[in-house]
Amino acid sequence: MNTWIWIILLVVLFGFVIPEIVIAGVIYTILLVRTSKKKWGRDVLLPENDDEYAGMYHEGLEWGELYSDYMREVEIKSGRYRLVGEYFDFGGEKAAIVIAGRMESLKYSYYFAEPYRRAGYNVLVVDNRAHGYSDGVFCCLGYREYADMQCWSRLLVEELHNKAVFLHGICIGSSVALFALCDENCPDYIEGMCADGMYVNFAESFKNHMIEDHRPKVIFSWLVFMYMRIFSHANVTSDGPINRIDRLKKPILFIHSRQDTYSTPDQAEKLFEKCKSPNKRLVWFEKGRHSRVRVNAPEKYDNTIIEFLKDLNK
């Protein structure tokens, strides 16, 4: 009997457990580890057969070229990481930081900068840690990058003489912005944020990605989350935007598409309801996949942000 028990245990171990550990490690590495400088480089790798994404990226590049005379390269040291960005000085008194999502460099952020220029804000686009020209290996889903945004904000105010900073986050970038604002050490001059496609926590978004993208099912998905906890310092199941948003006291604009299948509409409603900010606004867009809201309604998207900033500055 003991022999058969050991045989069964070995079959389970080598037939199911070890392969799942390996698969989970591979998935984690693909999603959140920069294994070479080419991965998540400054020039965004465009997915095949996705004209919408390519159009956004190239339109953003045109914006960067159009306003290149206003741009200067900047860098900071956040912890042990050297981080780089581009600062567009349009002569405004305040600045906006555009925070891109996973896999995207500052060039992708150009696409979201126009409403802030129109609103009279200077614009900072950055290579998040482990992206573009910035240092780093692990994408930490906001659990470490939030401190980077505070460092960038300090540069904008103390060295570049802006009076206040507004954060604009796309997908994971919205989590970064929220964590920065909810931190007890957040400076007063970070005045608010816009969240484009915020999720309740990354675990839910991850599961929806796996379903939507027809990727291999991970039976022990908790193993992937374990890798995230160990290497990215990200507690994606029990700590996320939904667990912190009730600490937010500063203004927030939620922008969300009813067609978002990664950060689903019900997630946006939960976040909005739990948010205790006295100045919060949720604006729905009927069309647009995740992070594709602006391309489907650029005028409404830009005007929504501009109107929110006007109210903020009254």
Side-chain angles (χ1 to χ4, degrees):
M1 180 64 69
N2 290 336
T3 301
W4 280 109
I5 290 175
W6 278 109
I7 291 174
I8 292 171
L9 289 174
L10 289 173
V11 169
V12 171
L13 179 64
F14 289 99
F16 298 97
V17 178
I18 291 179
E20 284 293 331
I21 293 174
V22 172
I23 292 172
V26 169
I27 291 175
Y28 168 74
T29 301
I30 292 172
L31 290 178
L32 298 178
V33 182
R34 192 180 196 187
T35 52
S36 73
K37 285 294 184 181
K38 291 183 178 180
K39 187 175 182 180
W40 308 334
R42 178 63 67 84
D43 294 311
V44 175
L45 180 63
L46 298 176
E48 295 181 3
N49 303 318
D50 194 339
D51 295 337
E52 187 176 68
Y53 186 93
M56 293 169 61
Y57 180 61
H58 289 299
E59 185 178 332
L61 292 181
E62 291 174 2
W63 186 93
E65 181 63 27
L66 179 63
Y67 296 109
S68 59
D69 290 343
Y70 297 87
M71 188 273 288
R72 59 180 283 193
E73 296 180 358
V74 290
E75 66 176 68
I76 59 168
K77 197 72 180 295
S78 181
R80 69 176 186 272
Y81 297 110
R82 171 182 171 270
L83 306 177
V84 299
E86 293 179 353
Y87 176 62
F88 292 81
D89 188 347
F90 296 117
E93 294 185 343
K94 298 183 177 183
I97 305 177
V98 182
I99 312 168
R102 182 179 59 87
M103 303 189 299
E104 293 154 346
S105 75
L106 61 77
K107 287 187 175 182
Y108 180 76
S109 297
Y110 293 156
Y111 179 75
F112 299 91
E114 178 60 11
Y116 295 98
R117 185 199 67 82
R118 286 177 55 195
Y121 279 60
N122 304 315
V123 175
L124 174 66
V125 292
V126 300
D127 284 334
N128 291 323
R129 63 169 68 187
H131 291 74
Y133 296 160
S134 290
D135 293 343
V137 174
F138 301 105
C139 175
C140 298
L141 304 173
Y143 292 82
R144 291 293 182 270
E145 292 89 346
Y146 80 90
D148 303 339
M149 292 306 125
Q150 293 179 350
C151 289
W152 279 120
S153 298
R154 189 177 307 117
L155 173 79
L156 287 170
V157 172
E158 296 181 0
E159 296 186 30
L160 298 175
H161 310 298
N162 290 279
K163 293 181 178 179
V165 178
F166 190 84
L167 305 181
H168 181 101
I170 305 103
C171 186
I172 290 174
S174 63
S175 179
V176 174
L178 181 70
F179 288 5
L181 267 68
C182 291
D183 179 55
E184 60 182 7
N185 296 317
C186 180
D188 291 338
Y189 53 71
I190 302 182
E191 63 180 2
M193 66 172 288
C194 174
D196 181 340
M198 184 187 287
Y199 47 72
V200 294
N201 59 49
F202 188 76
E204 289 299 317
S205 181
F206 170 81
K207 293 174 184 176
N208 291 335
H209 269 271
M210 293 295 107
I211 295 171
E212 183 74 14
D213 296 349
H214 305 290
R215 293 181 179 179
K217 181 179 179 182
V218 184
I219 297 175
F220 301 134
S221 59
W222 63 270
L223 285 171
V224 181
F225 303 150
M226 181 188 70
Y227 282 109
M228 293 177 183
R229 182 67 181 272
I230 294 171
F231 297 106
S232 293
H233 307 284
N235 186 358
V236 300
T237 55
S238 57
D239 182 19
I242 194 66
N243 304 99
R244 302 196 186 196
I245 201 162
D246 56 351
R247 307 178 203 169
L248 182 65
K249 306 303 180 186
K250 297 185 179 185
I252 180 170
L253 169 64
F254 294 89
I255 286 178
H256 220 91
S257 170
R258 296 192 185 277
Q259 293 182 339
D260 195 329
T261 55
Y262 293 165
S263 302
T264 53
D266 64 299
Q267 294 186 31
E269 291 172 350
K270 290 176 182 177
L271 287 163
F272 184 77
E273 289 174 6
K274 193 174 181 183
C275 179
K276 294 182 179 179
S277 168
N279 187 352
K280 63 179 181 178
R281 189 177 304 172
L282 171 57
V283 179
W284 288 105
F285 288 74
E286 297 303 320
K287 294 183 179 180
R289 294 161 56 194
H290 184 66
S291 301
R292 311 290 182 87
V293 179
R294 184 173 185 261
V295 70
N296 284 277
E299 184 175 355
K300 179 181 176 182
Y301 188 99
D302 291 3
N303 288 337
T304 296
I305 292 172
I306 293 169
E307 291 170 8
F308 187 79
L309 294 174
K310 283 182 179 179
D311 291 341
L312 185 63
N313 292 315
K314 285 181 179 179

